[in-house]
């Protein structure tokens, strides 16, 4: 059963069928009740009309045998005296059971001590309530049975009190048949019982077909995604339907995700290739020097071997930091430190760097990583500056703004975003001895972004490059 209901089509069809079934049952019950109430009200009106016609004739002094009563099978009539004994009955009427109406009358006419009153008291009360020749305004309704020519049927009865001109209190009971009401309700119920299953079958079939058609693009997306997973070809895309619904948006989002994944994989492959290339050179150089030193100790270049080892260590550290940043490493949310103190410590270790900084300026994040950003920016400025490197720190609109400027040749507008890519070195810094591996600025921007900041470059007033780091302040 769970497997059968495992598809969206089956669940949608079942849900729609249940909802329609509940709605139809509720609507059908309301229709049947409304139909019954309408027909009962019509029967009440008919019974009241017959009862009041007979009561009016009695009030005008017609004798019992002169009353023009309707046929008993259509409207059975029975006239009772105060002792509930029949004085006149309709044609062919053999008996009427009107206990429900009589009980209702008596309960409404009497109070808690009514059972203790004598018959004479009630007659006196009737006499006070109605005068001879008057018909009561109230009509009492109820259901009962009447036997006419040996056949018993259900009727809706109306009871009306009347005082004859001779002062005799009587009660006229007149009935209206309920056969029409019962036949109409039974016919409507039968029609609903036959039509409801057919309608539910139609609803379930249409819902299943419409749902299958609506979900067909989703199945196409699933099949294509399975093929992409199997082939590992991230250049493929799922089909996008020519609609503007949720399925089309799902397809577009899926293709955007695939494009981002393809770009990420390509960057990762390029990163691995570049890292392998960068590692191969110092390792090969170091191996060559060690092999020469093993064969000819007098030719061993210890300084060169040490330089290659240091460069290799620095590159490995940069790659490890990039791996941590790519894994989503972020500083603790409650970490904070004094950026002005960090800048002063870093600048003091580098002679010849001008500094303009406030006494204190707190920011949030990792102190060690921001030190790494500042060190990379200062190393880059020192590598390209002719004579001067200047560092400026200030507070501006809820941000800490750190600027590192040099008086070198600057960065061309076309290269101002490219220099932040990994393993990118401009022509001027291609030499490995001077330019490094091309990871410093990439690491600096990644750290800035992890700290909810930005790192950009533009022209410095002295004509060189001005790198600007913006970080949110902690107040």
């Amino acid at each position: 059963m769970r497997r059968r209901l495992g598809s969206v089509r089956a669940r949608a069809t079942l849900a729609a069928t249940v909802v329609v079934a509940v709605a139809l049952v509720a609507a059908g019950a309301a229709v049947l009740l409304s139909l019954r109430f309408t027909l009962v009200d019509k029967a009440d009106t008919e019974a009241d009309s017959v009862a009041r016609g007979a009561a009016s004739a009695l009030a005008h002094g017609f004798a019992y045998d002169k009353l023009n009563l309707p046929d008993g099978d259509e409207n059975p009539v029975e006239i009772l005296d105060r002792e509930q004994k029949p004085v006149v009955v309709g044609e062919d009427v053999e008996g009427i059971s009107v206990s429900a109406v009589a009980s209702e009358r008596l309960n409404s006419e009497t109070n808690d001590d009514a059972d203790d009153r004598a018959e004479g008291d009630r007659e006196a009360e009737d006499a006070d309530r109605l005068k001879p020749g008057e018909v009561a305004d109230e009509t009492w309704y109820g259901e009962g049975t009447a036997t006419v020519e040996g056949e018993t049927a259900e009727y809706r009865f109306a009871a009306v009190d009347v005082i004859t001109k001779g002062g005799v209190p009587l009660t006229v009971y007149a009935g209206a048949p309920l056969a029409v009401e019962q036949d109409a309700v039974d016919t409507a119920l039968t029609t609903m019982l036959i039509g409801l299953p057919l309608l539910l079958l139609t609803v379930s079939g249409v819902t299943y077909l419409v749902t299958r058609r609506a979900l067909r693009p989703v199945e196409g997306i699933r099949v294509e995604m399975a093929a992409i997973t199997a082939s590992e070809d991230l250049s493929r895309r799922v089909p996008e339907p020519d609609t503007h619904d949720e399925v089309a948006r799902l397809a577009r989002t899926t293709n955007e995700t695939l494009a981002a994944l393809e770009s990420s994989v390509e960057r990762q492959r390029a990163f691995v290739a570049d890292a392998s290339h960068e590692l191969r050179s110092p390792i090969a150089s170091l191996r060559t020097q060690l092999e020469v030193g093993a064969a000819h100790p007098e030719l061993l270049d210890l300084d060169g071997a040490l330089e290659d080892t240091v460069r290799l260590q620095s590159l490995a550290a940069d790659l490890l930091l990039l791996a941590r940043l790519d894994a989503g490493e972020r500083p603790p949310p409650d970490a904070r430190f004094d950026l002005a103190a960090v800048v002063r410590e870093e600048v003091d270790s580098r002679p010849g760097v001008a500094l303009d900084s406030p006494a204190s300026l707190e920011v949030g994040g990792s102190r060690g990583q921001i030190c790494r950003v500042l060190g990379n920016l200062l190393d880059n400025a020192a590598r390209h500056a002719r004579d001067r490197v200047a560092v400026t720190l200030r507070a501006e609109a809820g941000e800490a703004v750190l600027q590192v400027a040099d008086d070198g040749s600057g960065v061309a507008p076309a290269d101002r975003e490219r220099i932040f890519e990994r393993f990118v070195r401009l022509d001027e810094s291609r030499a490995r001895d001077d330019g490094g591996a091309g990871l410093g600025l990439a690491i600096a921007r990644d750290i800035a972004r992890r700290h909810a900041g930005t790192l950009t470059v533009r022209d410095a007033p002295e004509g060189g490059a001005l790198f600007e780091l913006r970080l949110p302040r902690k107040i």
Side-chain angles (χ1 to χ4, degrees):
M1 183 64 179
R2 181 178 297 179
R3 173 171 292 184
R4 292 180 180 177
L5 296 178
S7 66
V8 176
R9 292 196 300 269
R11 293 198 299 270
T13 301
L14 178 61
T17 304
V18 170
V19 170
V20 173
V22 172
L24 288 178
V25 169
V31 170
L32 290 177
L33 290 175
S34 177
L35 178 62
R36 186 180 187 281
F37 289 153
T38 301
L39 294 176
V40 168
D41 185 67
K42 181 179 179 181
D44 286 344
T45 303
E46 181 181 350
D48 178 71
S49 176
V50 174
R52 289 196 171 276
S56 178
L58 291 171
H60 285 79
F62 278 79
Y64 297 156
D65 56 351
K66 299 296 184 180
L67 293 176
N68 184 19
L69 300 179
D71 294 338
D73 56 347
E74 295 181 359
N75 299 108
V77 177
E78 185 177 51
I79 302 175
L80 305 180
D81 59 15
R82 188 57 180 167
E83 297 179 354
Q84 298 297 309
K85 294 181 180 180
V87 296
V88 180
V89 295
E91 183 179 358
D92 298 327
V93 177
E94 300 175 3
I96 295 178
S97 175
V98 290
S99 58
V101 179
S103 175
E104 184 181 354
R105 265 188 85 245
L106 290 176
N107 289 335
S108 63
E109 287 182 353
T110 59
N111 52 26
D112 293 338
D113 59 350
D115 294 337
D116 297 332
R117 292 188 302 174
E119 182 68 24
D121 295 336
R122 290 200 297 268
E123 292 179 356
E125 183 180 342
D126 288 336
D128 293 338
R129 186 164 54 88
L130 292 177
K131 296 178 180 180
E134 288 186 351
V135 179
D137 294 332
E138 298 88 353
T139 302
W140 309 97
Y141 299 101
E143 294 184 5
T145 60
T147 303
V148 181
E149 295 181 347
E151 296 183 0
T152 302
E154 295 182 356
Y155 290 85
R156 183 73 176 174
F157 287 98
V160 178
D161 290 333
V162 62
I163 302 291
T164 65
K165 284 191 174 183
V168 179
L170 300 173
T171 302
V172 180
Y173 291 91
L178 291 177
V180 175
E181 178 264 339
Q182 293 174 347
D183 291 343
V185 172
D186 291 343
T187 301
L189 180 60
T190 302
T191 303
M192 290 180 182
L193 292 177
I194 295 175
L196 180 60
L198 296 178
L199 184 58
L200 290 180
L201 287 175
T202 303
V203 169
S204 61
V206 171
T207 303
Y208 188 84
L209 293 176
V210 170
T211 307
R212 183 176 67 177
R213 182 179 181 85
L215 294 178
R216 189 176 299 163
V218 177
E219 180 63 17
I221 294 173
R222 187 201 65 80
V223 171
E224 186 62 24
M225 286 296 294
I228 292 173
T229 303
S231 64
E232 299 182 356
D233 183 7
L234 296 177
S235 63
R236 298 174 62 173
R237 298 293 181 265
V238 300
E240 295 186 16
D242 296 331
T243 58
H244 300 282
D245 55 8
E246 292 81 357
V247 177
R249 292 196 291 272
L250 171 64
R252 286 193 291 271
T253 303
T254 302
N255 284 335
E256 291 172 359
T257 303
L258 288 173
L261 183 60
E262 181 185 15
S263 177
S264 176
V265 170
E266 290 298 328
R267 287 197 305 269
Q268 190 69 21
R269 289 172 179 170
F271 175 74
V272 172
D274 291 337
S276 301
H277 177 72
E278 293 293 336
L279 288 171
R280 187 185 303 115
S281 297
I283 291 176
S285 175
L286 183 60
R287 178 179 178 178
T288 300
Q289 294 180 54
L290 292 176
E291 288 177 347
V292 171
H296 305 281
E298 70 280 3
L299 298 179
L300 178 62
D301 185 6
L302 291 178
D303 293 336
L306 179 60
E307 183 180 348
D308 285 338
T309 302
V310 171
R311 186 170 182 273
L312 188 60
Q313 181 182 11
S314 176
L315 180 58
D318 288 345
L319 294 176
L320 180 60
L321 178 57
L322 284 173
R324 294 206 310 268
L325 295 175
D326 288 341
E329 180 182 281
R330 293 182 182 275
D334 56 346
R336 56 194 302 165
F337 62 94
D338 186 0
L339 180 59
V342 171
V343 172
R344 284 194 296 270
E345 292 175 5
E346 188 69 27
V347 171
D348 289 344
S349 64
R350 299 169 183 264
V353 177
L355 174 62
D356 180 10
S357 170
S360 177
L361 185 59
E362 285 198 345
V363 296
S366 170
R367 188 179 192 277
Q369 290 186 2
I370 298 301
C371 284
R372 182 65 177 274
V373 173
L374 180 57
N376 289 353
L377 294 179
L378 289 173
D379 289 342
N380 180 78
R383 188 180 303 119
H384 296 88
R386 295 189 181 92
D387 299 313
R388 184 173 182 274
V389 175
V391 177
T392 304
L393 178 64
R394 69 178 185 276
E396 181 180 300
E399 291 182 325
V401 181
L402 174 64
Q403 295 179 334
V404 178
D406 61 70
D407 58 353
S409 58
V411 181
D415 296 326
R416 288 177 182 174
E417 283 300 318
R418 196 166 68 88
I419 60 173
F420 292 107
E421 297 178 4
R422 298 174 183 181
F423 299 105
V424 170
R425 295 187 301 273
L426 301 183
D427 293 339
E428 165 184 352
S429 59
R430 286 293 181 184
R432 297 188 186 277
D433 294 338
D434 298 329
L439 292 177
L441 294 179
I443 290 175
R445 171 166 278 189
D446 283 351
I447 292 176
R449 288 175 175 173
R450 294 300 187 278
H451 285 72
T454 60
L455 178 61
T456 57
V457 61
R458 64 175 186 269
D459 291 333
E462 293 81 0
L466 186 148
F467 287 84
E468 182 177 88
L469 173 67
R470 289 180 174 266
L471 297 173
R473 290 181 60 191
K474 290 288 186 180
I475 301 176

